Structure formats: C-alpha cells, structure tokens
Amino acid sequence: MAAAPMVPIHMQRAGFDPAPELAELRAGKGIKRIRTAFGMEAWVVTRFADVREVLSDPVRFSNARLQEAGRAPGLPPVSPEERARQLAGNLLAADPPEHTRLRRMLTPEFTVRRMRRLEPRIREIVDEHLDAMERHGPPADLVAEFALPVPSLVICELLGVPYADRAEFQARSNRQLDLSHAVEDRMRAARESRAYMAKLVAGAQADPGEDMLGMLVREHGDDLTPDELVGIASLLLLAGHETTANMLGLGTLALLRHPDQLAMVRDEPERVDAAVEELLRWLSIVHAGTGKMATVDTEIAGQRIAAGDLVMCALPTANRDPELRTHPDALDVTRGGAGHVAFGHGIHHCLGAPLARMEMKIGFPALLRRFPGLAEVPGTAEFRSFSIIYGLTSLEVTW
C-alpha cells in the first residue's frame, strides 16, 4: 500500500498559527513553488490581496480545468465514466456557466432569511447536547459530545439524511480528508460515500420529503441528473458537518486559552457576532480550498504563472496579513469584521456560510453560559495535523 503523502507547507500549523515559514514567505516574495499532497507542483499564494485576486477570477484561474487535466501522480486510475460521476454536481469542481447553474438552485436554501427559520431548532439541538453533557458530568470530550454532533444533526435534518447513520458518514469523512491515510483508502471512502448518498437520492426521488433533497427532486428533478443530485448532496453533507464542527472545537479551545476574551463572548451578547468573525479569521480551518489551474500566462505577486500551472491559496496566512488587520496574529474578539477569506471569496464563497455563522453564534455563548467554569483538561487537545480541514480530534474539558 502506498505511503501517506507528506503534508505540504501550506497545510502545516503550529498550534493555532500557520507554519512560521508561511509568514516569512508572505513578508518576502509572497509566492513559492511547492509540491502538493498529491505529488503535483503548484504555486502557493500567501498574501491577502493576491489570494483575493486569484479567488475573484475564475476566467484566469479555473477549478474545472484542473479536474479535466487528469489524475495527479500516484493516484490510482479511474475510468472516464467514474470520473464523470465523481465530478457531477460538485460545485467546487465547476466553473461558470455550469457552476452558476448548480449554485442558482441551492442559493435560496441558504439565505440569511431561510437560516433564521432554523434558529429555534438549532437552539434546541444545542441545548439538548448541553443537557446530555451536564447529565453525564465532567470530564467530557467536547468534540465527541458537542462540537461534532451539533452541526451533524443540523445538516442531517436540513438535507434529509438519517442521523442514525452519522457514525458511518463521519468515519468516511475522516478517511477522505485525512492525508495520513493511503490514497487508496481515501478513494475507497469517497466511493462508499457516493454509494450511500445514491441510496438516499433514490429514496427522495421515489418519495420526496420536505428536506433539501426532497426540494431538489421536486423543483429541479428535470434539470439535475441522479449523479448531480448525489454530488450536490455529498458535498453539502461533508462540508456541512466537518467545517462547523472543527470551528466549534478549535474555537472553544482558543477562547479557553484567552480567558478575558472568553468572558466577553459569554457575558456580552452584543460581542458575539464580531467574536465569530474574528475566530473565523484567526483560525482559518480550511487551509487552501480547491486548487486552481491558470488558463493563460499571467502574473501574481510579481511571479510569472504559466498557463496550466496549479495555484493554491494559503487562507490562514492571507487572514493573518497585516494589510487586512493590525496586529493580525493576536486574537481580538472586540474587532471582528467581515472581509476575511475563511469562507473563501468570489463565486466559490462558501454557500453554507450563513448556516455556519448561526451555529457558532448560538453554540459558543450557550456552551460558555451553561458551564461558566469550563476548563481544558491539560494535555488532552489533539490537533488534526494531517487533515484537509484543520481542527481537533478530541478535547477533554471539565467544569
């Protein structure tokens, strides 16, 4: 079995911080040639302005062209038919107009107004899990008992995925995203995930419910192929629980290690919105998002980029750029402010950002108020060092 690839520099962290070499790169040339986890050479872009430039221009920097270019070195071969199925419905692998067509169908389901309708149910879910933690008593693994199950249940109810299946799909998600697993294992997990979602899609086509899968079948069933439905639902399930879960876990640890700021989030409701934005910026759990292929000879940060070159955007260093915030390496929940690229930027800006924000704005204060003496059990925080989405595998807390 093939060895797990080395973690490339743009995915390396030092606790909450990006690798020091990345900060040095941002202060210097701002761009560097690297080798990705999949064995491909790429340019990594580190400055805020340059990252936004790349993310803003799907004409010069294409998501789809990268997928069409063929498999990366070391990846097992797949048939053209399977490759087409893998890409169908995946918004992260599409450019306009295909991306526009797919996203237009989903955008109404993720508006701030629509998310507000979910707020009472999200509060119920948060309270139910806090009740369970309280009954169980300390110590508790915050990741397993709160950070992971809350967004998992929310996205399951939203999509129409049985929550009873959560252990299986969470295990598959971990295998897909964890670079310490051999590539064959990660590909197997991806196939299993699609097969699982295909069964749910078939059920929704036979009897569409009131959830998002049912809505897509009822309103767009003539416009979407079964493979596209599977691809859309698979992406929403994966992104919908993995990202928010890691923000809840890692964000709580960050606040525990900054007790003065924790107190503000706990005791001053008017600060919660800004605190969530600052935690998103400071932690930047998505290392780079999807790679992009240059479609023409161009230039970024004074560096010539040839057509066909792969470009990766280092979101954590972009969000720690002094051009974006003064004292950017300090966590300061009093400043908040949008404009960061934690959710990406441009046409691929995270579709579920309103939902993620709402879950965090509800989850952090509720947790800290329920357990005002919440404390980290020293030595128990385990970071997801090899994962495509950064976070914690576990964190024991007491109160």
Side-chain angles (χ1 to χ4, degrees), residues 3-4 13 22 60 82 124 126 129 157 175 205 235 293 302 316 323 331-333 358 362 388 392:
R13 305 278 183 130
L22 278 175
R60 280 194 299 157
E82 181 176 1
E124 285 181 4
V126 166
H129 285 83
E157 291 192 1
R175 283 161 52 206
Q205 289 173 315
L235 177 61
M293 179 174 284
E323 295 299 316
L331 176 67
D332 180 358
V333 300
M358 177 167 286
I362 293 170
I388 291 171
L392 298 170

Side-chain angles (χ1 to χ4, degrees), residues 261 263-277 333-337 361 365 369:
Q261 307 204 41
M264 285 188 276
V265 175
R266 183 189 63 215
D267 302 332
E268 302 176 41
E270 68 276 10
R271 293 202 185 274
V272 172
D273 286 9
V276 166
E277 297 306 319
V333 300
T334 66
R335 57 184 169 186
K361 289 173 185 178
R369 289 172 192 154

Side-chain angles (χ1 to χ4, degrees), residues 192-384:
E192 291 169 359
S193 295
R194 287 192 65 86
Y196 168 76
M197 195 56 71
K199 291 181 182 178
L200 296 185
V201 165
Q205 289 173 315
D207 183 18
E210 296 304 312
D211 47 66
M212 194 176 297
L213 267 182
M215 177 279 297
L216 286 170
V217 168
R218 282 195 308 275
E219 298 183 15
H220 304 290
D222 295 335
D223 305 314
L224 293 167
T225 68
D227 282 337
E228 287 176 331
L229 282 167
V230 169
I232 290 169
S234 297
L235 177 61
L236 293 178
L237 179 61
L238 178 67
H241 77 272
E242 280 285 347
T243 50
T244 309
N246 283 290
M247 272 302 303
L248 286 171
L250 197 60
T252 299
L253 181 61
L255 292 172
L256 289 172
R257 294 186 179 179
H258 295 78
D260 56 330
Q261 307 204 41
L262 182 151
M264 285 188 276
V265 175
R266 183 189 63 215
D267 302 332
E268 302 176 41
E270 68 276 10
R271 293 202 185 274
V272 172
D273 286 9
V276 166
E277 297 306 319
E278 176 70 350
L279 286 166
L280 284 162
R281 178 199 71 82
W282 196 68
L283 296 171
S284 297
I285 60 168
V286 177
H287 300 291
T290 308
K292 299 174 182 296
M293 179 174 284
T295 61
V296 294
D297 291 347
T298 186
E299 186 177 293
I300 290 287
Q303 173 65 53
R304 179 184 174 275
I305 309 292
D309 282 358
L310 174 61
V311 179
M312 306 295 296
C313 293
L315 303 183
T317 49
N319 279 333
R320 299 283 190 100
D321 193 326
E323 295 299 316
L324 173 64
R325 298 282 191 274
T326 56
H327 307 296
D329 291 321
L331 176 67
D332 180 358
V333 300
T334 66
R335 57 184 169 186
H340 57 75
V341 290
F343 285 120
H345 182 68
I347 65 167
H348 291 287
H349 181 273
C350 176
L351 183 68
L355 176 60
R357 284 187 167 105
M358 177 167 286
E359 289 176 285
M360 285 183 275
K361 289 173 185 178
I362 293 170
F364 285 127
L367 171 69
L368 300 176
R369 289 172 192 154
R370 177 69 68 94
F371 305 114
L374 193 72
E376 169 191 2
V377 176
T380 64
E382 294 184 9
F383 292 88
R384 289 165 47 126

Side-chain angles (χ1 to χ4, degrees), residues 40-62:
M40 304 166 71
E41 288 199 342
W43 295 102
V44 62
V45 180
T46 59
R47 293 179 187 145
F48 178 74
D50 296 330
V51 164
R52 277 176 60 101
E53 180 180 349
V54 172
L55 297 179
S56 298
D57 194 341
V59 176
R60 280 194 299 157
F61 301 101
S62 164

Side-chain angles (χ1 to χ4, degrees), residues 7-13 22 37 179 287 385-388 390:
V7 176
I9 186 173
H10 68 282
M11 290 179 57
Q12 295 175 17
R13 305 278 183 130
L22 278 175
L179 297 181
H287 300 291
S385 301
F386 291 91
S387 181
I388 291 171
Y390 193 55

